[in-house]
Amino acid sequence: MADSPYVARRRVRLAIRRARDGKNFTQSDVAEAMEWSLSKVMRIESGEVTISQNDLRPLLAFLGVKDRAEIESLVVSAKLSKQRAQWWETPQYRDLLTPAIVQLIGLELAAREIQYFYPMVVPGRLQTPAYTRAVFETFAGELSEEAIDARVRMREMRRQSFLDAAEHPEVNLVLDESVLYRQVGGAEVLRHQLEHLLVLIGERRISVRIIPFKEQSPIPMLATYEIVSLVDGTTVLYRESDTLDEIVEDHEKIKRHREIFDRVWQAAYDEPTSAGLIKDHATALS
């Protein structure tokens, strides 16, 4: 996983942004000097598109990157990142998904650890298809049926890639206890979802802790987020609220979210107790 195209793409765009900031150039300055559109510069730096080797070399020269070893390393990374488009990058999915989720899917494949903070529902990558559809149907007035269908298929393919992977990241999941009661899609759908979590716990693919309904427990005030620690030692934050989402790379914001996660993780029920709660709720729904 160390040579993931998504890690390579991220390495290149962060190097570009770092060099631009070092020169105090704006994105508009780069666009004008390179005779590119501002949109192209923005999409390269955000990770929405890759940059070709032919574009990268003159850009690095303009940004003052002169170390030959660094240049060649970035060129190699740019070449690696230009792999054949994966399923989520094809128009039938990409045009119906947010740029943030398109990036997240690739980065998940290069993760060594993922921390999920989900106070309302089970994380998308761990959802059963029926649970996923029930979640998205709550946005029927904001998303087209075509977009909902694409996102349901996307989540199932993300789940399947997680199940099929030969190597698994360490996954720690915090759920509010209310998730065990919230009958998304009805009792039967929730039961199957809880049973699926129990299978993943039993196979040691995930560790789950439940935030209990008791006075001294932290209140999960923040929106849904996940912290993805990559194999190259860097970290990204994916944050989601309603139909809006974003990839966050700001170190201080990531640090704050990790501190909140750690505090809630320590205050929650331990893994055996949490698994027992999930099992009790699944059994009660039978």
Side-chain angles (χ1 to χ4, degrees), residues 98-123:
T98 66
I101 196 65
V102 170
Q103 286 186 62
L104 178 67
I105 296 172
L107 292 172
E108 284 176 334
L109 299 178
R112 60 175 177 79
E113 180 183 4
I114 302 177
Q115 295 170 301
Y116 289 111
F117 181 91
Y118 274 67
M120 298 295 291
V121 294
V122 173

Side-chain angles (χ1 to χ4, degrees), residues 44-62:
I44 288 171
E45 288 199 9
S46 70
E48 292 181 51
V49 298
T50 58
I51 183 171
S52 70
Q53 299 169 68
N54 291 337
D55 280 345
L56 180 60
R57 287 186 184 276
L59 175 59
L60 293 176
F62 170 69

Side-chain angles (χ1 to χ4, degrees), residues 6 22 34 89 94 174-175 177 181 188 201 205 218 249 257 260:
Y6 307 99
M34 301 301 296
E89 297 174 309
R94 186 190 62 227
V174 164
L175 289 175
E177 191 171 352
Y181 291 90
E188 188 74 359
I201 292 170
R205 293 175 185 260
E249 295 175 325
H257 282 74
I260 292 170

Side-chain angles (χ1 to χ4, degrees), residues 168-286:
H168 302 286
E170 178 182 343
V171 176
N172 293 320
L173 165 62
V174 164
L175 289 175
D176 187 67
E177 191 171 352
S178 62
V179 175
L180 307 184
Y181 291 90
R182 187 169 293 109
Q183 294 189 11
V184 176
E188 188 74 359
V189 170
L190 178 59
R191 179 173 68 83
H192 284 302
Q193 178 62 74
L194 297 180
E195 289 173 346
H196 182 55
L197 289 180
L198 289 171
V199 170
L200 297 179
I201 292 170
E203 294 176 348
R204 300 183 182 277
R205 293 175 185 260
I206 63 173
S207 297
V208 181
R209 289 193 178 187
I210 304 296
I211 308 170
F213 285 148
K214 59 184 184 182
E215 187 175 337
Q216 65 267 34
S217 297
I219 301 174
M221 298 292 289
L222 293 184
T224 291
Y225 69 85
E226 56 189 87
I227 301 170
V228 183
S229 300
L230 302 171
V231 293
D232 67 351
T234 60
T235 304
V236 298
L237 170 70
Y238 174 75
R239 194 160 51 182
E240 185 177 22
S241 178
D242 196 39
T243 56
L244 304 175
D245 63 350
E246 61 178 338
I247 293 286
V248 178
E249 295 175 325
D250 180 88
H251 175 74
E252 289 303 316
K253 290 181 180 178
I254 294 173
K255 179 182 177 183
R256 175 173 177 265
H257 282 74
R258 190 188 293 279
E259 288 172 349
I260 292 170
F261 183 93
D262 290 343
R263 185 166 64 249
V264 174
W265 181 262
Q266 293 302 320
Y269 289 126
D270 62 21
E271 288 97 314
T273 303
S274 297
L277 276 173
I278 295 171
K279 183 176 181 180
D280 289 344
H281 279 267
T283 300
L285 292 167
S286 299

